[in-house]
Amino acid sequence: MMAFIQRTGETLVLRSEKLPVIAIQIDPEFRYVGSTSFILYAIAHAEQHHFVVPDPERRVMRRLWFQFEG
């Protein structure tokens, strides 16, 4: 089974078209920094999306982490 990204968060709205259908508006202070997808314990597809608020030196001051599993 191959893992792949089904959702997107690049516009500061985390969107899912299915399982579940959602649109989460992210505070504009955050930046979308990417996603990852993997097979969890050989039985479920897991997908993570990360948003951060960096300081001027690019250190992470705040982070939002969303995870979907199925």
Side-chain angles (χ1 to χ4, degrees):
M1 177 175 3
M2 178 132 186
F4 58 94
I5 300 298
Q6 295 180 331
R7 294 157 188 91
T8 181
E10 289 141 3
T11 62
L12 291 180
V13 176
L14 181 59
R15 294 188 187 282
S16 176
E17 301 300 324
K18 60 182 178 175
L19 302 174
V21 176
I22 58 167
I24 302 171
Q25 177 69 49
I26 308 300
D27 186 307
E29 182 180 20
F30 286 84
R31 274 187 9 198
Y32 183 70
V33 293
S35 61
T36 188
S37 177
F38 56 94
I39 303 302
L40 182 64
Y41 300 117
I43 58 169
H45 171 242
E47 183 175 311
Q48 299 174 341
H49 294 269
H50 305 275
F51 298 82
V52 300
V53 174
D55 71 5
E57 286 79 40
R58 298 180 60 183
R59 294 178 293 204
V60 174
M61 303 306 291
R62 295 172 63 196
R63 178 176 73 166
L64 293 174
W65 171 354
F66 295 90
Q67 181 164 317
F68 299 89
E69 297 175 9

